[in-house]
Amino acid sequence: MAEPARSGCPINAAVEAFGDSWSLLVLRDIMFGTRRHFRELLAGSEEGIASNILSDRLKRLVKAGLLTREDAGPGKRAAYSLTEASIQLVPVFAHLGSWGLRHRPTTERLRVRAELLAEGRPELWAEFMAELRVVHLGAPAKEGPSVLDRLAAAYEAALPKPTGHSS
């Protein structure tokens, strides 16, 4: 269970749970990047997180009740899953991304998911949270196109296209 906050202020309690940038980025990568294992999170880090920082943040997020860690057994990789508390951060991530789009320099490749979430508004966020509950909490799946697939397709479409040389 989470440790008590320094004060009863809800903003302080939230900041203490996930307020450092690495914790938010680890949650982002699990939520949007579908990375669930230590090596995937380390190798896929856009910002280049160090292994000791990643290990520390994963432990903190588990202790804070924002992730669970499932041991697969000897010689197997442990999988991390979002909890309901972290799934409910989707609107926070959407608002952070929207703010970043408006007030900070971004790249086309990395801004497309934030744009899609901003355009989709709470309806898309609710769909995405329902999908995350299927993946991370074992909730029953619904029919229809996946938000994760739409986010991945938008990201892939924004990647630079390889240029070939013709003779």
Side-chain angles (χ1 to χ4, degrees):
M1 187 68 193
E3 293 183 16
R6 286 182 288 209
S7 76
C9 171
I11 294 172
N12 173 69
V15 168
E16 285 187 21
F18 59 81
D20 71 280
S21 61
W22 286 121
S23 292
L24 286 172
L25 296 176
V26 168
L27 288 172
R28 175 206 64 191
D29 287 350
I30 294 171
M31 187 177 291
F32 296 102
T34 65
R35 299 178 193 120
R36 309 270 307 268
H37 301 94
F38 183 88
R39 292 278 173 224
E40 293 170 335
L41 290 160
L42 187 64
S45 172
E46 188 72 33
E47 293 79 16
I49 191 169
S51 60
N52 61 324
I53 301 292
L54 176 58
S55 177
D56 177 70
R57 290 322 181 276
L58 288 168
K59 287 175 189 167
R60 285 187 195 188
L61 290 165
V62 168
K63 188 174 182 181
L66 293 168
L67 291 177
T68 58
R69 182 179 188 271
E70 180 185 319
D71 286 317
K76 306 266 183 172
R77 303 180 303 165
Y80 292 90
S81 293
L82 300 171
T83 63
E84 180 61 30
S86 56
I87 289 170
Q88 290 182 17
L89 288 171
V90 166
V92 173
F93 278 102
H95 285 290
L96 280 171
S98 180
W99 185 90
L101 288 169
R102 291 189 315 273
H103 300 289
R104 292 292 182 252
T106 61
T107 63
E108 184 63 29
R109 179 175 68 86
L110 296 176
R111 68 183 286 128
V112 294
R113 289 184 288 205
E115 289 170 338
L116 187 61
L117 285 171
E119 292 164 8
R121 318 231 359 111
E123 296 80 17
L124 183 71
W125 309 343
E127 278 183 64
F128 185 41
M129 289 189 291
E131 287 179 18
L132 290 171
R133 288 181 185 105
V134 170
V135 173
H136 293 273
L137 303 177
K142 294 184 179 172
E143 295 291 323
S146 157
V147 174
L148 273 173
D149 289 343
R150 287 186 274 172
L151 291 169
Y155 178 76
E156 291 296 323
L159 290 174
K161 306 294 183 254
T163 57
H165 297 287
S166 21
S167 303

